[in-house]
Amino acid sequence: MAKARTLLPVAVDTLFAPATFDFDLYIRPDPSGPALLYREHSFPFERGDVDRLMRRGVTTLYIPDTGAASYQRYVHQEILSNTSLPPGQRFEALTAAGRMTFYEAFADGQVDRMIAFAEDLAGRVVDILCQREMVLFDLFRVMRHDHHTYTHVTNVCGYCLALAERAGVSDRNELASIGAGALLHDIGKRHVPRSLLNKPGRLTDPEREVIQRHPSVGFEELSPRQDLSWGQLMMVYQHHERLNGRGYPVRLQADEIHPWAKLCAVVDVFDALTCQRPYRRPWPVKEAMAYLHERAGSEFDKEMVQCWMAAMNSAR
């Protein structure tokens, strides 16, 4: 039996026309339906294609995972080096390419590649976000809101950096370290069966225990390395801990939790709530913020929640 083709999303406005790509383009007319071939790689992608897609409200096309490397080269050569483009557009292209790199490394279990990718992508995101015309509203607008792990971690990276800046972190190296830690925070999930991560129904207690081991598994895998800081390791290990001791994996409390893990916990939950999940629709931003506000000081660091709320309010 032939292996099922895996399709990866790319934003239409990261495909500059006219151009001829090394990969086929697919479209999904019905979000819940199958993807259909839109343009073979041997046919040029024209400006008229972009206009027609935008008029139809189509902002995302899909490419086979075999074309990921080619798309990444295209992004770096044609988009990231073009400083005349708006930061939001460059950020969207960067995270799209990043999702593909993470997908490949995640699937193959290439830890060295994942760490190198995290460091490179975090540094590039910091450079874009430090341009003051890129505000949190733009950041939220270009995030993809599906449930895939490799989408979630790029979202959390951007949010962590936005929150860290709002909380007073200004050193570029520290911001890049926080961003890389955010990209790695769910690395333990690659040892969780995909059937559990994408299960549409309620988890059984044994299934929940398997998923809740991912922070410990990720920490155990990364802790022997010399190229990660303690703060980054704690983002991996502690991002599900809660101030009241009711988190996991070891029920730490308050000051036992590293500040970077407290920061990560806030935006990790925000992104999880506002993303499409197999078992529920995404929450509106207002409801997600109310959820965090109600639990500030008991589950989540109060200052971090206040900073995040202030950042979101100023961006709207």
Side-chain angles (χ1 to χ4, degrees), residues 23-313:
F23 41 81
D24 297 334
L25 294 170
Y26 290 80
I27 190 171
R28 186 166 274 131
D30 179 352
S32 61
L36 306 176
L37 181 64
Y38 176 77
R39 182 61 47 86
E40 288 188 340
H41 65 275
S42 56
F43 289 90
F45 183 73
E46 304 286 358
R47 181 65 233 179
D49 292 306
V50 176
D51 295 337
R52 283 188 291 273
L53 289 168
M54 291 301 183
R55 283 198 298 269
R56 292 168 57 188
V58 176
T59 59
T60 303
L61 293 176
Y62 300 84
I63 69 172
D65 56 358
T66 52
S70 178
Y71 176 76
Q72 290 160 10
R73 286 194 299 272
Y74 164 78
V75 166
H76 284 267
Q77 293 170 6
E78 303 296 330
I79 299 179
L80 298 184
S81 60
N82 187 350
T83 56
S84 65
L85 293 175
Q89 191 170 1
R90 281 185 283 141
F91 179 84
E92 185 169 16
L94 176 62
T95 53
R99 281 191 295 271
M100 293 182 186
T101 301
F102 188 84
Y103 166 80
E104 293 175 308
F106 192 92
D108 295 340
Q110 301 175 25
V111 177
D112 286 343
R113 186 179 176 192
M114 292 173 77
I115 291 175
F117 149 73
E119 293 174 347
D120 178 69
L121 181 61
R124 291 177 182 271
V125 172
V126 168
D127 289 340
I128 292 176
L129 292 182
C130 284
Q131 299 182 50
R132 292 306 168 195
E133 63 267 36
M134 177 68 175
V135 297
L136 190 57
F137 174 81
D138 300 311
L139 183 65
F140 185 77
R141 180 185 60 80
V142 301
M143 292 298 191
R144 289 191 54 82
H145 300 291
D146 60 46
H147 62 276
H148 295 294
T149 298
Y150 44 91
T151 297
H152 172 64
V153 297
T154 53
N155 288 358
V156 170
C157 173
Y159 291 150
C160 270
L161 290 171
L163 177 53
E165 273 206 308
R166 186 77 184 197
V169 179
S170 59
D171 180 76
R172 187 197 180 281
N173 291 332
E174 185 176 357
L175 287 169
S177 293
I178 290 172
L183 288 165
L184 296 170
H185 82 279
D186 267 345
I187 193 172
K189 281 188 176 178
R190 69 189 189 86
H191 299 287
V192 177
R194 185 168 294 184
S195 59
L196 289 188
L197 294 176
N198 298 336
K199 184 177 178 179
R202 182 181 294 274
L203 296 172
T204 65
D205 288 342
E207 288 172 338
R208 187 174 293 103
E209 289 175 4
V210 170
I211 290 181
Q212 290 185 350
R213 285 199 292 268
H214 79 268
S216 298
V217 172
F219 175 73
E220 290 168 6
E221 183 172 34
L222 296 180
S223 58
R225 302 186 64 96
Q226 301 299 311
D227 50 357
L228 295 174
S229 70
W230 184 248
Q232 290 171 320
L233 291 174
M234 290 302 96
M235 293 176 79
V236 174
Y237 190 46
Q238 298 180 343
H239 65 276
H240 283 292
E241 297 289 1
R242 299 294 180 256
L243 300 186
N244 57 14
R246 295 181 180 178
Y248 62 88
V250 291
R251 296 181 175 272
L252 298 175
Q253 297 182 33
D255 292 340
E256 296 176 312
I257 306 171
H258 193 281
W260 290 6
K262 292 177 181 178
L263 182 153
C264 186
V266 171
V267 295
D268 179 60
V269 168
F270 175 81
D271 187 64
L273 292 176
T274 56
C275 282
Q276 180 72 45
R277 293 281 171 162
Y279 47 86
R280 62 158 173 79
R281 298 177 65 83
W283 287 25
V285 170
K286 185 176 180 179
E287 292 183 15
M289 297 303 293
Y291 178 94
L292 292 170
H293 176 69
E294 291 168 4
R295 291 159 178 78
S298 58
E299 295 184 27
F300 305 104
D301 184 89
K302 188 173 183 178
E303 181 181 356
M304 291 298 175
V305 172
Q306 289 175 340
C307 283
W308 186 241
M309 293 185 70
M312 290 298 293
N313 288 335

